[in-house]
Structure formats: C-alpha cells, structure tokens
Amino acid sequence: ENTAFFGDVLLRYPEIVHHYYDNHRERRLLVEWAVGISNASTIFRGPNAQLLDLMAQEAEIIPRREDYVNPYRKDSRKKQKYPSYDETVNSEPPKKKKKEIRPRGPRLSRGFEL
C-alpha cells in the first residue's frame, strides 16, 4: 500500500517529490527495493501494475519509454492543448455582458381595464 501511495504522490506532484527524492541515496534505495518486491510478488495487477510501471519510469528506476508523458509535470503541460488549472485561475475573467437598464417608477399599462 505504501508503494502505491508513494507512486500516486510521485506522479501527481513530481516536482515536489523529486526535490526530496533525487538527492537522497537511502530513499532511492528504499523505493527501488519496494518496487522490486512489488513486481516480484505480483500483488499489483491491471491498473495498479500500470501505476507501478509509471512510477518506476518517473523515478527513473527503469528507463523511460519514448511515449512516456506525465500530465502533472509542469514542462509537459505546455505541450497539452488544454490549459492547466493555474493558467485558468490566473487568466483574466471573461467580460460580463452589460445588463439592459430599465427605467424605474410607475408605468401606464395598455390594454388593461378595471
């Protein structure tokens, strides 16, 4: 469970995790050991095995494939055709349509008889 959790965090927040992960040999060895044990035990199947494979590529435990893209990585967001959440929040809000102003006060109505 901890291996899958770390993999999910690594894929979703790669810049933060790489800051703490890349320069610490003990952490790298521990994650490599956990991925090796998880692959050998075949506990992860289906989408969980895919998550483990993507995590191993992101952590550079195994070489990255040519088609590997992490959509949460900042440099890969530039290649996407959709803007990221930060870009949409920081962009200018859409202009509101001007509302038609009607004069206030009493009006004479036509066609209404008492």
Side-chain angles (χ1 to χ4, degrees):
E1 293 176 4
N2 290 336
T3 307
F5 175 71
F6 180 75
D8 195 33
V9 172
L10 176 64
L11 290 173
R12 293 186 186 273
Y13 305 104
E15 285 82 16
I16 296 170
V17 173
H18 279 293
H19 175 74
Y20 292 104
Y21 172 77
D22 289 343
N23 298 326
H24 298 281
R25 185 170 183 243
E26 294 92 18
R27 292 179 187 164
R28 289 185 66 86
L29 289 173
L30 184 64
V31 171
E32 289 174 11
W33 174 81
V35 169
I37 293 293
S38 299
N39 283 334
S41 66
T42 65
I43 293 174
F44 296 106
R45 293 187 182 129
N48 295 329
Q50 183 180 9
L51 172 83
L52 193 65
D53 183 55
L54 292 173
M55 180 197 70
Q57 289 181 48
E58 181 66 36
E60 296 178 359
I61 296 171
I62 60 174
R64 292 184 180 173
R65 295 189 193 105
E66 293 177 10
D67 61 343
Y68 173 77
V69 174
N70 186 350
Y72 297 103
R73 192 175 268 278
K74 286 184 180 178
D75 58 349
S76 67
R77 286 183 191 159
K78 294 175 185 174
K79 298 175 186 176
Q80 292 178 345
K81 61 181 177 179
Y82 300 108
S84 68
Y85 176 75
D86 295 332
E87 292 170 353
T88 57
V89 169
N90 294 334
S91 66
E92 294 181 16
K95 294 182 181 180
K96 295 182 179 180
K97 295 179 182 178
K98 290 189 177 183
K99 195 173 186 180
E100 181 181 332
I101 301 174
R102 294 183 181 178
R104 294 185 165 194
R107 296 184 198 126
L108 296 174
S109 58
R110 296 182 186 160
F112 182 72
E113 297 181 22
L114 293 175

